[in-house]
């Protein structure tokens, strides 16, 4: 057939859409079908005009439209499978919510809630009341509030307590976290002036003391969450800094970042300070993330002495950084587990993934290998290997988490090509490549995802 004939024989957008609507039932809206039909027909027309070969096989156009419908009916933000072993992967949404937190969110989404009403008095209440008592009880602080994330928490603290004045920070703590959070920049944006003291590797209490002037509003200690300086180093403890602050009547703020609420020393995680240690050490205000090692929703938590918390609460910026009811619901349920569960390390997914034993990981890897072998045994080389996972989210930079992973190498095609296809399909699977093999680190894979991984692999490999 020549070009003109082919073009003339193409169905109209409407005819094609009606045909597909009739054969696909209620799965897709007619508007979406029309949009996809138009796109497919346009691209075919362009191809034909360019002289590309055109397959006239029966049903070929409808199949193309259905493929497009499948892709376009997905939400842009969707579930993926994390086989990277990075627990708090910021690009993959950081902490997973536990079952109780998921239920709490679902519950308040389907109905109205007492977000800001005190049901005892019938009067207006505070949305923070649902978590404030839990936070003070767990951490030992006098007061608490919650904002959108920890970057916002730090910004709000600085703006409320140090705008137009000086904040003293050690040069070893002028960190950048996750690209866009940089201590000097957030300080400048808040309207406070940075006064750097000490050196990259050593800062002493006397350095802070010498820098104190009439203009000093805060002494700020920043946890170097995502890196450590080793070797010839010295740093001022929160206890020492707090006694210096008391001596001069200057509040001490600690940005802890990670929000570690339980010590995991018994699991070999030793290089992370807990929030309780900071409060007990005398910090006047402490801030941390809700979705790092705390294992809850994205949030920035500020705790500390009542008089400072009250000033921060009244700052107009607090209203602009206000958290949503979903955050409060998830955070409340997550925090309750720290108090009421026998073992929060089992119920909180982040803590569970951090502390899961080598034996359990090996068993899990064997389970995944078996599932893969029975589906793909003849198509790939599959083994299990010891490897390392990461906490991620800029936490525990020096903690090596030994893990087990399934290593897979396709007989046909490359591991690189396959790992890309796994990422682009539905559901997307994200995995690492090492020595030309794809590694599936079972630390961050849920057992309910094993079969999906096998099916996706089979689908992609058999298409090769
Ligand atoms: C992660 C981190 C932040 C930023 O917290 P977000 O919740 O990601 O906004 C700030 N300070 C420190 C020390 C951190 O580790």
């Amino acid at each position: 057939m020549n070009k003109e004939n082919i073009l003339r024989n193409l169905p109209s957008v409407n005819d094609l859409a009606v045909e597909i609507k009739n054969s696909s039932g209620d799965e897709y809206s007619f508007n979406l079908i029309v949009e996809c039909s138009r796109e497919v027909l346009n691209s075919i027309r362009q191809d034909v005009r360019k002289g590309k070969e055109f397959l006239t096989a029966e049903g070929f156009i409808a199949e193309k439209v259905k493929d497009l419908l499948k892709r376009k009916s997905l939400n842009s933000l969707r579930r993926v499978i994390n086989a990277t072993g990075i627990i708090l992967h910021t690009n993959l949404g950081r902490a997973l919510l536990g079952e109780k937190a998921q239920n709490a969110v679902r519950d308040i989404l389907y109905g109205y809630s007492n977000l800001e009403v005190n049901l005892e008095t019938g009067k207006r209440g505070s949305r923070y009341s649902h978590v404030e008592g839990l936070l003070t009880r767990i951490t030992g602080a006098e007061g608490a509030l919650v904002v959108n994330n920890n970057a916002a928490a730090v910004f709000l603290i600085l703006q409320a307590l140090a705008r137009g004045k000086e904040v003293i920070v050690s040069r070893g703590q002028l960190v950048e976290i996750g690209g866009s959070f940089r201590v000097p920049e957030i300080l400048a944006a808040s309207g406070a002036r940075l006064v750097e003291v000490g050196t990259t590797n050593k800062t002493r209490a006397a350095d802070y003391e010498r820098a104190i002037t009439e203009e000093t509003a805060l002494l700020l200690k920043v946890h170097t969450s995502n890196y450590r300086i080793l070797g010839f180093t010295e740093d001022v403890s929160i206890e020492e800094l707090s006694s210096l602050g008391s001596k001069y009547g200057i509040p001490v703020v600690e940005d802890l970042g990670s929000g570690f609420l339980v010590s995991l020393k018994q699991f070999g995680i030793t290089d992370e300070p807990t929030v309780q240690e900071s409060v007990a050490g005398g910090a006047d205000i402490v801030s941390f993330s809700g979705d790092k090692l705390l294992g809850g929703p994205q949030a920035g938590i500020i705790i500390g002495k009542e008089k400072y918390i009250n000033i921060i609460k009244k700052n107009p910026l607090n209203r602009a950084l206000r958290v949503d009811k979903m955050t409060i619901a998830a955070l409340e349920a997550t925090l309750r587990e720290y108090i009421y569960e026998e073992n929060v390390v089992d119920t909180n997914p982040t803590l569970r993934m951090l502390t899961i034993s080598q034996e359990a990981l090996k068993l899990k890897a064997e389970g995944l290998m078996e599932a893969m072998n029975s589906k793909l045994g003849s198509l790939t080389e599959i083994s299990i290997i010891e490897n390392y996972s990461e906490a991620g989210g800029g936490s525990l930079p020096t903690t090596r988490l030994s893990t087990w992973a399934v290593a897979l190498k396709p007989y046909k095609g490359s591991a690189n090509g396959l790992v890309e296809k796994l990422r682009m399909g539905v559901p997307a699977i994200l995995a690492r490549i090492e020595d030309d093999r794809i590694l599936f680190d079972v630390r961050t894979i849920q057992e309910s995802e094993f079969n999906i991984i096998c099916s996706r692999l089979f689908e992609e490999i058999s298409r090769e």
Side-chain angles (χ1 to χ4, degrees), residues 83 368 372 405-406 408 422 429 438-442 445 453 457:
L368 178 58
M372 284 184 181
V406 177
L408 178 143
L422 290 176
I429 301 169
I438 304 180
L439 297 193
F440 297 85
D441 184 336
V442 292
I445 303 175
I453 294 176
L457 276 166

Side-chain angles (χ1 to χ4, degrees), residues 108 111-119 125-127 129-130 332:
I108 57 111
Y112 293 102
S113 59
N114 61 336
L115 182 65
E116 287 188 349
V117 59
N118 180 328
L119 295 175
S126 152
R127 65 180 60 212
S129 68
H130 307 289
E332 180 186 5

Side-chain angles (χ1 to χ4, degrees), residues 61-73:
I61 299 176
E63 276 317 305
K64 279 197 108 161
V65 176
K66 282 182 185 163
D67 277 349
L68 189 59
L69 275 168
K70 247 187 231 155
R71 271 186 286 134
K72 282 213 173 189
S73 59

Side-chain angles (χ1 to χ4, degrees), residues 184-204:
E185 288 172 11
I186 209 112
L187 241 146
S190 75
R193 289 195 302 279
L194 169 64
V195 177
E196 302 175 23
V197 295
T199 61
T200 304
N201 59 328
K202 284 207 173 202
T203 302
R204 301 185 184 88

Side-chain angles (χ1 to χ4, degrees), residues 94 149-151 177 181 222-223 225 255 257 289 292:
R94 285 200 189 157
N149 54 28
N150 188 38
I177 312 258
F181 179 88
V222 182
H223 180 46
S225 302
D255 170 13
S289 294
K292 289 190 185 168

